[in-house]
Amino acid sequence: MSEKVHCLIIGSGPAGYTAAIYAARAGMKPVLYQGIQPGGQLTITTEVENYPGYPEGIQGPEMMVDFENQAKKMGTDIRYGLATKVDFTGPVHKVQIDEKDWIDADTVIISTGASAKWLNLESEQRLNGYGVSACAVCDGFFFRGKEVAIVGAGDTACEEAVYLSKLASTVHMIVRKGEDGMRASKVMQDRVKNTANIKVYWNSETDEVLGDKKVEAVRIKNTQSGATEEIPVSAFFVAIGHQPNSAIFAEYLDMDDAGYIKTIPGSSKTNVDGVFAAGDVQDKIYRQAVTAAGSGCMAALDAERYLTEKGLA
């Protein structure tokens, strides 16, 4: 036996909850499954100051509770559970929850987000939110005038290093390989090299993030000589990429080389009619709570129009 719903939302970050609010208000009776991390990446973020409507700032987990409560108030059926398999071959979209129960959905909104890649250091996880961050645009503001470190060698790492250089006194950039092995485009490498307060440590890897209750320093190790060095910093930014949570959809949906779901420009529509994608699972450029929320709104409106066109509303 399977359950039939008009609108199924997979994921519970800003995109999923915003889609739920709009879908519920439109009478689509949305069912939302929260996934493995209810609230998404904002639940591991401390202070949020750049989301409109919170002039005093707000803690990330508290903000996601507000989103959830608003979605519930509008009538969303919010459930614990993880989508583990899908079948998008027919006009009714089938989604399996927790490897057992099946949902038959007229429309599906995918808002499963993307997870930051980490170095897998104990100290990195322990100090996450206390000086360790995977988003310079989100958290760089809190370290104005201070020394910070960033690890990474791609375009994103370079962009974030340049962004941080406008806020921090010094940006210590840790690059595992030498100059010849840097993955970033030449123009981004040149921007880093031409920014006076960015200091690059070539052939270096992070040995440990130091600090008891907050980041106080980072210890790096030279991959050629084995020598270690401690650099006093107030923040440690990890910019080694993100992994979109899209694997279970790969058989049916068009994706780019990194696994981000492709949507038709100017919409949330995927290549499968009635299946929409919102938030970081389809956005590798901005990755902000406010842009995710905006795309969640788009997905709900697109889903509503689809149901109307098909005579299912």
Side-chain angles (χ1 to χ4, degrees), residues 167-245:
L167 300 170
S169 59
T170 304
V171 178
H172 302 274
M173 188 172 186
I174 304 161
V175 178
R176 181 168 187 145
K177 297 182 178 179
E179 291 187 57
D180 295 339
M182 202 169 182
R183 298 191 314 274
S185 59
K186 187 177 185 304
V187 63
M188 289 309 304
Q189 292 187 46
D190 288 343
R191 284 183 191 171
V192 166
K193 294 171 185 176
N194 294 329
T195 302
N197 64 334
I198 298 178
K199 182 178 180 181
V200 182
Y201 299 77
W202 304 107
N203 300 302
S204 298
E205 61 184 11
T206 306
D207 188 56
E208 202 69 78
V209 184
L210 305 176
D212 183 16
K213 295 184 178 179
K214 63 179 182 178
V215 172
E216 297 174 0
V218 59
R219 184 170 64 235
I220 65 173
K221 182 178 181 180
N222 188 283
T223 57
Q224 294 181 329
S225 68
T228 60
E229 178 181 357
E230 290 187 10
I231 307 166
V233 293
S234 297
F236 179 75
F237 292 92
V238 181
I240 58 174
H242 285 72
Q243 180 64 48
N245 302 316

Side-chain angles (χ1 to χ4, degrees), residues 64-77:
M64 285 298 92
V65 170
D66 286 347
F67 273 55
E68 179 180 355
N69 287 339
Q70 188 171 356
K72 281 180 180 176
K73 183 179 180 182
M74 295 298 154
T76 305
D77 183 351

